[in-house]
Amino acid sequence: MGDKLETVTPTEAQLKARRNRNIAIAIALVVFVILVYVSSIVRLGPTLLNRPM
Amino acid sequence: MALVEKDSYEATSFQLSEATASDYLALLKPRVMSLVVFTAFVGMLAAPVPLNPMLAVTAIICIAVGAGASGALNMWYDADIDAVMSRTKTRPIPAGKVTGGEALGFGLVLSAMSVLTLGVFVNWVAGSLLAFTIFFYAVIYTMWLKRWTPQNIVIGGAAGSFPPMIGWAAATGSISLESVILFLIIFLWTPPHFWALALFKSGDYEVAGIPMMPNVAGEESTRRQIFAYALLVAVVGVLPWYFGFASFAYGVVALALGAGFIWYSWKVLSMSPQDSSMRPAKALFGFSLLYLFGIFAAYLVDSVVARFLLAAGA
């Protein structure tokens, strides 16, 4: 207790690279979600929306 | 007493990554990927069963990502030899941009995701073939054959030959003679393509200790084998016409391309042993890329035209 937590301070280049990677991951995730969504609808067809109560 | 000794993670040994998305993209071998996408696309479109366009897009993305993932696994395992070869020393791992562990994780996650997505949304025959392709390239070729035998790219070439078969399986859910012939075209094309490269890059492979054919059997034997494979490629190239899967027009194009392949291989076979510029080998390497693109493009156009004529006549 009392010890100051040691952290790493990223350099400007590291922050820039991290931001670049984050944007790429976000784009990849969005593409994957769209792919799964559209493929599900194509595979299951109209029955996907047919949910009798 | 601390659970983790401070000295065990010296500031010099720990560094935040400076890798960008393009470094990770380079791990996927985009140029190889483009050939994989093209041949898979041809296999898919030539299949007699039309695939829903959206599922076709899904399948192509999965095949591309799966092929890329196997490239990342290859770069993880081969980082040591990539570092000493002029052609590969700027790859992300030897260049110090991505760590081996990061490449391994990236490759494994993408492999699993691509196979599962292809299996669930398209079909499991295609998914299984993609899984086998990744396994074959990463384990059988990279980890086993590449450093062990000069036949490495002959057997390992199967990994690069599967994409049209996966494309075909994505559409039909099966494997047939047509897709086996497409497989064979790439399979028999791979040795002369890579041995032409190995002839003018043999120094590189020697330094890295990779038993490529020119280093092990000598240049003369390699040139003879290149010619023999060129003959086989030329014959297999016209098989789709011979079996009636493609038109006479395709047969003519395949014959012309095959004759070109034999001609360039003959130039390699007959080049002087003192020819250090290796111009015929470089020319064959360039033509081999043109050959593969040309023959698959011809098959694609032929299939599309045949389907169009059938629809117009019906």
Side-chain angles (χ1 to χ4, degrees):
Chain A
M1 293 292 283
D3 280 353
K4 198 177 170 190
L5 191 67
E6 281 188 52
T7 54
V8 178
T9 310
T11 65
E12 201 57 41
Q14 286 163 347
L15 282 172
K16 205 175 158 195
R18 183 197 285 170
R19 184 174 162 73
N20 179 289
R21 293 197 302 271
N22 287 346
I23 291 169
I25 292 170
I27 293 170
L29 269 176
V30 168
V31 169
F32 184 63
V33 167
I34 293 171
L35 207 69
V36 169
Y37 179 77
V38 176
S39 298
S40 301
I41 289 183
V42 171
R43 279 301 273 186
L44 300 171
T47 54
L48 184 69
L49 303 172
N50 183 15
R51 298 176 65 193
M53 298 300 281
Chain B
M1 192 184 147
L3 284 175
V4 178
E5 291 296 325
K6 195 180 169 203
D7 292 346
S8 66
Y9 57 101
E10 286 283 319
T12 49
S13 65
F14 175 78
Q15 205 195 346
L16 287 174
S17 174
E18 285 186 21
T20 60
S22 61
D23 294 318
Y24 280 90
L25 193 68
L27 284 176
L28 304 180
K29 299 191 176 181
R31 277 196 300 179
V32 176
M33 205 199 254
S34 63
L35 209 61
V36 165
V37 166
F38 177 61
T39 55
F41 180 71
V42 173
M44 194 180 291
L45 229 70
V49 186
L51 185 63
N52 177 288
M54 269 321 298
L55 291 183
V57 170
T58 303
I60 288 290
I61 291 175
C62 288
I63 295 167
V65 172
S70 66
L73 295 174
N74 167 275
M75 285 200 204
W76 157 70
Y77 193 80
D78 277 350
D80 57 335
I81 52 177
D82 281 351
V84 294
M85 299 210 298
S86 66
R87 189 171 65 87
T88 54
K89 67 182 177 194
T90 54
R91 284 178 174 176
I93 302 175
K97 289 173 180 168
V98 176
T99 66
E102 285 164 347
L104 174 65
F106 189 57
L108 288 176
V109 167
L110 290 188
S111 297
M113 296 284 277
S114 58
V115 168
L116 287 176
T117 310
L118 187 63
V120 168
F121 289 113
V122 183
N123 65 59
W124 281 106
V125 176
S128 308
L129 277 173
L130 181 63
F132 183 69
T133 304
I134 296 169
F135 168 79
F136 201 91
Y137 187 68
V139 179
I140 306 287
Y141 171 69
T142 304
M143 295 182 188
W144 182 35
L145 297 169
K146 187 173 178 179
R147 301 177 194 224
W148 175 59
T149 166
Q151 296 293 331
N152 47 16
I153 49 114
V154 178
I155 311 165
S161 316
F162 277 116
M165 205 181 241
I166 303 173
W168 183 281
T172 63
S174 66
I175 296 167
S176 66
L177 183 61
E178 291 99 315
S179 65
V180 171
I181 292 173
L182 293 178
F183 170 93
L184 278 177
I185 291 173
I186 308 179
F187 184 70
L188 294 168
W189 164 91
T190 308
H193 169 75
F194 273 106
W195 287 337
L197 174 76
L199 277 176
F200 60 86
K201 287 278 183 189
S202 60
D204 250 12
Y205 288 110
E206 184 102 55
V207 170
I210 303 295
M212 287 302 276
M213 198 56 84
N215 312 80
V216 178
E219 285 185 6
E220 204 184 318
S221 167
T222 306
R223 296 205 304 258
R224 277 201 305 271
Q225 293 188 64
I226 284 176
F227 188 70
Y229 273 99
L231 292 174
L232 289 174
V233 173
V235 170
V236 172
V238 293
L239 284 187
W241 165 68
Y242 178 78
F243 283 114
F245 305 143
S247 71
F248 178 69
Y250 164 85
V252 172
V253 174
L255 212 61
L257 284 167
F261 208 122
I262 293 171
W263 167 254
Y264 278 97
S265 303
W266 171 255
K267 298 285 266 183
V268 171
L269 182 66
S270 57
M271 77 180 177
S272 161
Q274 279 81 42
D275 186 353
S276 57
S277 72
M278 293 278 175
R279 209 164 288 162
K282 287 174 186 168
L284 173 64
F285 181 75
F287 182 79
S288 65
L289 285 167
L290 186 74
Y291 175 87
L292 198 70
F293 177 78
I295 204 141
F296 272 83
Y299 197 79
L300 176 70
V301 171
D302 197 80
S303 309
V304 172
V305 169
R307 197 167 302 156
F308 179 76
L309 290 177
L310 200 71

